[in-house]
Amino acid sequence: MTGSDWGDWLPRAVATAEPETVAVWYLGCNGFVIKGNRGTTLLVDPYLGVGDPPRTVRMIPVPFNPEDVEEADAILATHEHTDHVHGPSQAPILEHTGAQFYAPDDSLAVAREEENWTDVWDVSDDQFTEVSEGDSFEVGEFTVHVELAADADATHPVSYVVEHDAGTIFHGGDTKPSDAFEDIGEKYDIDLGILAFGSIGNIPNKETGEMVRTKWYSTENEIVEAASSLQFDRLLPSHWDMWRGMTADPTALHEHAASYAYPRALTIVSIGDRVDL
């Protein structure tokens, strides 16, 4: 964990924003802030660590220090991997804002047992809420639905559908395509869909340091297949910027998506960018 390269301008931009509908900021990796027009603020998978060099090397800035987040109603975690559940990134936000942490069982096990958030930070156990596929809950002006995710590298991944009067957002964590996505696409009218995208690269083995051909995220064809099944109006690819050896060019997705009815548009953002529904 290191200090932010950017100071506190991004948390201040979120805090002072008054979106007409719903604003979404990309935090790099698979992290996002979602703020509604009545001020409710959600964070999904915010990660401010630098990885575990030389195996995982962060390729983008650390956009803010977690202590600089003054307003948050909830953090949503999609699965238990370090860049999605990370005490030094997320527990200080819970400590300073009183936000609720929503996560599946194996993600909560990281927070409670592996990293002992309640001992290391001023976080109470009643700030943790376990979720599973099929659950729905309200956070301020948002209704959040928990759906499945297809990620064989995780032990219990989920995706989130965030509904608002102004539109609907899907965050799939590190999911790959799934046969079940057609049903989800029929169930919701998804305005903005977020899916992880990256290349297949060489990553050092944890024990030996030997380079191993590794695939963690959807390829070009897989991300478009998932977006098509989910019937996204707009596809926003994430995670492509983060890890050395796994970076990719999201502009390549224009060609892959061109022959599909969905997604209807491709929205490419860089860390710190904002898009609105």
Side-chain angles (χ1 to χ4, degrees):
M1 194 69 180
T2 63
S4 171
D5 301 273
W6 284 2
D8 66 350
W9 72 262
L10 185 53
R12 285 190 289 106
V14 173
T16 59
E18 297 181 353
E20 293 185 4
T21 54
V22 176
V24 181
W25 289 263
Y26 182 39
L27 307 179
C29 195
N30 218 352
F32 290 83
V33 178
I34 302 171
K35 184 174 185 178
N37 54 16
R38 296 195 293 278
T40 304
T41 304
L42 313 178
L43 291 91
V44 186
D45 287 352
Y47 176 68
L48 306 170
V50 296
D52 185 22
R55 184 169 186 266
T56 49
V57 179
R58 186 181 183 112
M59 299 293 288
I60 53 175
V62 176
F64 57 85
N65 295 316
E67 295 84 1
D68 290 331
V69 176
E70 297 181 355
E71 297 179 6
D73 295 285
I75 296 176
L76 314 180
T78 60
H79 63 287
E80 75 283 352
H81 290 167
T82 298
D83 54 341
H84 300 261
V85 177
H86 185 240
S89 297
Q90 297 163 0
I93 298 174
L94 301 180
E95 180 180 82
H96 291 133
T97 67
Q100 198 74 11
F101 184 73
Y102 295 90
D105 50 4
D106 291 351
S107 298
L108 284 179
V110 172
R112 285 175 164 147
E113 300 164 21
E114 294 182 25
E115 296 186 341
N116 299 309
W117 291 11
T118 56
D119 294 333
V120 180
W121 295 274
D122 186 13
V123 174
S124 62
D125 195 65
D126 61 11
Q127 287 179 267
F128 297 149
T129 298
E130 182 178 328
V131 300
S132 190
E133 296 87 340
D135 290 348
S136 297
F137 54 92
E138 306 287 330
V139 183
E141 65 208 83
F142 296 106
T143 300
V144 182
H145 306 280
V146 186
E147 297 289 351
L148 64 80
D151 180 8
D153 295 319
T155 56
H156 187 185
V158 299
S159 58
Y160 292 102
V161 179
V162 180
E163 287 189 316
H164 187 274
D165 291 343
T168 301
I169 300 165
F170 178 94
H171 191 301
D174 290 351
T175 193
K176 317 303 186 295
S178 169
D179 291 340
F181 282 172
E182 290 189 3
D183 290 338
I184 295 174
E186 290 291 336
K187 184 177 180 181
Y188 304 102
D189 181 10
I190 301 172
D191 297 280
L192 181 69
I194 298 163
L195 295 172
F197 165 58
S199 60
I200 302 172
N202 291 323
I203 300 295
N205 178 274
K206 285 183 179 179
E207 285 77 30
T208 67
E210 179 183 357
M211 301 301 283
V212 179
R213 199 76 173 151
T214 304
K215 179 181 182 291
W216 284 337
Y217 313 116
S218 286
T219 62
E220 293 93 332
N221 291 322
E222 288 173 328
I223 189 174
V224 172
E225 177 187 345
S228 176
S229 297
L230 289 160
Q231 300 183 35
F232 291 166
D233 285 342
R234 286 192 286 168
L235 166 62
L236 193 162
S238 63
H239 233 320
W240 56 268
D241 53 2
M242 185 63 175
W243 301 124
R244 179 176 174 83
M246 292 288 177
T247 58
D249 178 7
T251 64
L253 299 178
H254 285 290
E255 300 300 327
H256 289 268
S259 63
Y260 288 83
Y262 299 98
R264 292 189 169 128
L266 181 63
T267 298
I268 296 174
V269 292
S270 296
I271 181 172
D273 285 350
R274 167 182 166 174
V275 297
D276 287 64
L277 293 186

